[in-house]
Amino acid sequence: MLDNSKLKGLFSRVLNSAETTNQDEKDIKEYIVKVFGDGSVTPDPSMLHQFNNLVVQKADEIAKPMVTNMLTLMANFKTSAIDTLVQYDLPKKSKAKVVWAANGSGVDLVRVEGKAKKIAVPAKFQTGFYYEPLDLVRDSVDAFRALVSDVANAKVRLYMTEISRLTKQAIASSAIPSPNVKVGNSLVLADYNKVASTLARYGGRPLFIADTLLIDHFAMQQASDSTYSKLLTEGLKEELLTSLNPSTIGRTTAVNLVNPFLDETNSSVELPVNVGYMFAGGVSQKPFQIVEYGGMRQITEQDMEDERVKIKIYQEAAIDLVFGEAIGYIEEQAAVSL
């Protein structure tokens, strides 16, 4: 095994294309060949474990700002040491009688100084990857960057998957009120605005978070709607015409999800493209409470048949829905698909 601190420095420079030198490219190529060989020998298990540990650590560093930027729109997001439990206040005005917890356990509430509080009990979430060692040997720099990026994006998708699951449970139990939910075929701008108006009563400008296809579905209707089309400013017309990610839909702000393709045929993505979430913009208590305990960890194995390297990634976190009234759910069942 090589020196961890020196390898971390090399990884950081290679991941930052502006800092990468020709020597760095040669060094990462040489290191990867040491780990995986040239195809004539199998990887050294200790060096392979070290390599994957460093990949996950660097991916975690890259993912942290991505996670923070996305999740703070919909959740009160905190980080904590893995051995330090966090207690948080429940919203005073929340009418929800339950707290949906991602770990599936019962909910322990305590009342302290007139405030309802909850312990954020962590659950262990996991996801998996595999990669081809020879891809890294053949095209070390680009393949390495792609591997780290994939792991970083997986952390964002992990949280979004759990948020989706909790939201559906809360809709079924009416913890999210029915006026906050719009599900149907060929939804129009009026359906979207109805949910937005409901959440706007909490104050502030609602946020809509969804795949770019669903955002486009509603954003482009502003140009064809008989009323909205007459009110479009030149700036909004320019945005609809040229922006890859339109950010304005009526009186809401739209934010697109990180949702890359999972295959080489561009036919599958991690998160549903026809589901979006809307959040009240004027409340201090966000609908979700997320506490991340520690960082990502990994376990490595190599398949004996195809020689692929498999990584199982773990993250401990508490993900709770505590304020169902402040979240909206929109699902277009017919007009939006890959």
Side-chain angles (χ1 to χ4, degrees), residues 189 213-225 232 237 239-243 246 248-249:
L189 200 54
L213 289 174
L214 187 59
I215 290 175
D216 281 346
H217 172 73
F218 290 114
M220 296 308 295
Q221 289 186 41
Q222 297 175 106
S224 58
D225 183 87
L232 294 183
K237 290 179 182 178
E239 178 180 287
L240 293 175
L241 180 64
T242 63
S243 177
T248 303
I249 305 177

Side-chain angles (χ1 to χ4, degrees), residues 160 167 171 180-182 192 195 207-211 214-215 218 255 257 272-279 327-332:
M160 288 306 304
T167 300
I171 290 172
N180 296 33
V181 179
K182 182 62 68 173
Y192 178 94
V195 176
L207 295 170
F208 182 59
I209 300 177
D211 187 273
L214 187 59
I215 290 175
F218 290 114
V255 178
L257 285 170
V273 299
N274 63 327
V275 171
Y277 307 89
M278 195 176 291
F279 301 92
I327 180 174
Y329 178 87
I330 296 177
E331 181 177 337
E332 168 53 57

Side-chain angles (χ1 to χ4, degrees), residues 12-23:
S12 295
R13 293 191 301 275
V14 173
L15 290 171
N16 185 343
S17 57
E19 296 181 1
T20 306
T21 64
N22 289 335
Q23 186 60 48

